[in-house]
Amino acid sequence: MTRACPVCRGRMTEMRVRHVQAWREQVVVFENVPAEVCDQCGETLFSGPVVDKLNGLLWSMPPAPRTMEAPVYDLSAA
């Protein structure tokens, strides 16, 4: 059964996404996260068990299999 988006009432589609989270002065990237994404507005929803898994990884911070660099921009200087 397809759910309606809680924001725009568009159609939610199950897919795997990249989720970026700020945590304790770090930026953490989760890849291949199961989610429902609205085809119309892009709203992304995670199930309770997925949120529990993300939080568990954040709280325990096991060694990541890889790292990446990201540019940082300060808009107050622009």
Side-chain angles (χ1 to χ4, degrees):
M1 181 177 159
T2 302
R3 289 194 333 163
C5 174
V7 174
C8 74
R9 309 307 298 163
R11 186 172 62 103
M12 300 298 286
T13 301
E14 290 183 18
M15 59 180 52
R16 300 269 174 166
V17 299
R18 175 181 283 175
H19 176 64
V20 180
Q21 174 93 33
W23 178 255
R24 296 185 179 164
E25 303 298 320
Q26 296 182 54
V27 175
V28 181
V29 179
F30 297 97
E31 294 184 319
N32 297 308
V33 181
E36 289 183 88
V37 180
C38 178
D39 294 343
Q40 188 167 301
C41 73
E43 176 73 9
T44 302
L45 301 176
F46 301 117
S47 69
V50 169
V51 171
D52 290 344
K53 179 78 170 180
L54 294 172
N55 286 337
L57 287 167
L58 286 173
W59 295 332
S60 65
M61 286 300 264
R66 68 186 181 93
T67 60
M68 57 177 43
E69 290 185 33
V72 178
Y73 298 97
D74 183 350
L75 291 183
S76 67

